[in-house]
Amino acid sequence: MSSTGMSVYTKKVYRKIYILAGLVAALALIYTATLIFEPERINTRNANYAWLDEKWVEQADHIELIHDQTNISLARKNSEWFVTRDGIDYPAKQLRVEDLLHVLSSKAPYLLRGSSSHERFGLIEDSADHIVIRGGLSETPLLDLLVGEADTLGAVYMRKNNQDEVRSSASSTIASYALSSVTSWYNLRLFPDTGTASTGVDAVQRVVIHAPPAVSDTSEEEAPPVPVSEQTLTRNGSGWLISDSSGERDADVQQVESYIRGLLDIEGDDFVTSIQASDPVFDVGWVRLELGNGSSRVIRLGPPLENSRHSAIAEGSNARTGFVFALSEWRKNTLFTF
């Protein structure tokens, strides 16, 4: 083949290469544009959303949870959250409140579902559940979130009050906060956890147990009173001694320390408002833990309540004083049985 023929042939080859390269580039652009502008992908990108701006979390000092005409009010005072009820500030679970604010201010998949037909989504202002976050003295809330119905797959519909945009989430976390009872927000520990060894099991040197009188089976009015059972647990080196009406003997170390740990970590089921902590009725039975630093912690049992519950108060070192707690029958029994 002559040089002229080779030159023509080479040009044809390069021309085909350029054409193919152009087609490949065009197809690549079309494919890229399809990925970018595909409606489903656009919706997925737009779904990455947070209800509350993260910068407002530190400003939040009041939270209202409104469900079925029930209003739970949480207030932050001196960096600590409380449940305000009937004019009284009850201790709140700090981590639970912080978790709620974290969920609301963290971006997560909230799919756009529309901007109308709010009644169909259960998002009418007067009937939907509300989570209202306020900060400072401003009358305008940082967030007023309406929580509505769930679809057949469990996705919960939500929208900001005074905004039309409806979103949904496959997670029911936010809805669970809106629907939760007031007791789920209470910190019902009789002795708040300080996280220090000075108030742990190792710090307890002695436990005095003054159990309630046993209930007599007799119905005779002249029946003699049943004597109160009292036991004492005393640390003895690495072990424990138990003393009662039958004398003194070694006690099972693991059993005793498990019992003490239960006393230190005990929680009530609710706060009681029908009795005051100062009322002279908390003498049904008591348990006193004596610590190595000379302080003590006392749990005093009061009169029975409705629904097989019992009243109790806490006294002494690091006790949550001023409140009356409701204890279940099972938890009351654990006070006096080890």
Side-chain angles (χ1 to χ4, degrees), residues 69 107 167 215:
Q69 299 182 339
K107 287 189 175 182
R167 293 177 178 269
V215 178

Side-chain angles (χ1 to χ4, degrees), residues 14 35 57 68 80 104 123 131 157 170 193 244 256 289 310:
Y14 279 122
L35 292 178
V57 171
D68 195 22
E80 187 173 355
L104 293 173
L123 292 173
I131 298 178
Y157 300 115
D193 184 14
D244 54 25
V256 170
L289 296 94
H310 300 265

Side-chain angles (χ1 to χ4, degrees), residues 232-295:
T232 301
L233 302 170
T234 306
R235 188 180 291 276
N236 182 32
S238 59
W240 287 87
L241 296 174
I242 179 172
S243 303
D244 54 25
S245 58
S246 62
E248 185 178 79
R249 58 194 181 277
D250 290 331
D252 183 277
V253 174
Q254 290 187 348
Q255 186 177 1
V256 170
E257 295 190 348
S258 176
Y259 167 68
I260 293 174
R261 190 173 294 107
L263 295 176
L264 295 173
D265 295 340
I266 189 170
E267 295 185 15
D269 297 331
D270 199 352
F271 289 110
V272 179
T273 58
S274 58
I275 311 173
Q276 300 299 313
S278 57
D279 291 345
V281 294
F282 295 95
D283 55 359
V284 177
W286 49 267
V287 179
R288 183 176 70 246
L289 296 94
E290 299 175 0
L291 309 183
N293 60 9
S295 64

Side-chain angles (χ1 to χ4, degrees), residues 302-330:
L305 306 169
E306 295 180 351
N307 302 320
S308 301
R309 298 190 301 176
H310 300 265
S311 59
I313 60 172
E315 297 176 339
S317 172
N318 198 44
R320 186 159 273 141
T321 57
F323 298 102
V324 180
F325 299 86
L327 303 182
S328 66
E329 177 74 13
W330 174 85

Side-chain angles (χ1 to χ4, degrees), residues 20-43:
L20 289 173
L23 289 173
V24 170
L27 290 173
L29 287 173
I30 293 172
Y31 179 71
T32 302
T34 301
L35 292 178
I36 294 175
F37 297 108
E38 183 182 3
E40 185 176 345
R41 290 180 177 272
I42 292 174
N43 194 25

